[in-house]
Amino acid sequence: MAKSTVTMYGELFPMGGGDLIPLLKRSLLVGRRESCDIVLRFSNVSAHHCQLTVVAGYWHVRDLKSRNGVKVNGVRVVEKRIDPGDILSIAKHKYEVKYSPVELGAVGPPPPDTSEADTFGSSLLERAGLEHGRTARERVHHGVHHGGTEDTEKSKK
């Protein structure tokens, strides 16, 4: 017998049409595998694609090293807070995220976005998903470091 009341923590509305996806727990594994909390049966979705978690009343997404990535409002992310009305892209599949932070326990302004700390700790190519975690030494050896030309130009001014 089914429960008469279901607690929902928000919903994902498919942007291309289809059934809405209820967010039924405060932590949800999203992927192609049947064992996931939210199963997306698309070949471009990884088996364990991303994790959705409520933190201080706000949903956050964390990419689980998926092949085709996660985006929030068109920007590829590793980990980020998702605000109500944001567009979450899982591989190429877009969903509008709807929820009420106050109903999930938020008090005051949103917490700082975790992605700000990640921004300065990685290269632009890493953040764009084009390079995976090269060390500074590897970047120098692969020609990413440009030598002293910029410093020379600045010192002339």
Side-chain angles (χ1 to χ4, degrees):
M1 187 169 169
K3 291 181 181 180
S4 59
T5 58
V6 176
T7 301
M8 277 200 350
Y9 298 96
E11 299 168 317
L12 299 179
F13 283 85
M15 299 301 290
D19 295 332
L20 69 86
I21 300 170
L23 304 175
L24 298 174
K25 299 189 316 186
R26 296 179 78 84
S27 183
L28 297 161
L29 177 61
V30 180
R32 198 176 65 246
R33 288 252 167 92
E34 291 297 323
S35 60
C36 293
D37 298 306
I38 296 175
V39 179
L40 300 177
R41 294 178 182 89
F42 302 107
S43 60
N44 62 349
V45 172
S46 296
H48 294 153
H49 202 96
C50 62
Q51 184 80 34
L52 296 173
T53 310
V54 174
V55 178
Y58 288 85
W59 280 101
H60 288 72
V61 65
R62 183 170 42 96
D63 190 344
L64 299 175
K65 299 182 180 177
S66 65
R67 176 178 289 193
N68 292 310
V70 173
K71 294 181 180 179
V72 175
N73 298 326
V75 178
R76 190 160 182 165
V77 299
V78 174
E79 189 168 354
K80 182 159 183 20
R81 185 184 71 234
I82 309 168
D83 292 326
D86 281 353
I87 305 301
L88 174 66
S89 300
I90 300 169
K92 300 284 184 193
H93 309 280
K94 296 180 181 181
Y95 303 89
E96 182 179 355
V97 182
K98 294 193 175 188
Y99 70 98
S100 169
V102 172
E103 288 179 14
L104 299 184
V107 178
D113 198 344
T114 55
S115 65
E116 288 178 20
D118 296 337
T119 299
F120 297 108
S122 59
S123 74
L124 183 59
L125 290 174
E126 287 170 346
R127 293 193 315 268
L130 301 173
E131 181 180 79
H132 295 289
R134 282 189 181 168
T135 64
R137 184 177 187 171
E138 288 172 320
R139 285 193 289 271
V140 169
H141 290 335
H142 285 92
V144 177
H145 186 309
H146 299 291
T149 56
E150 291 103 8
D151 293 336
T152 308
E153 291 297 318
K154 287 179 187 175
S155 64
K156 289 179 183 177
K157 291 182 180 179

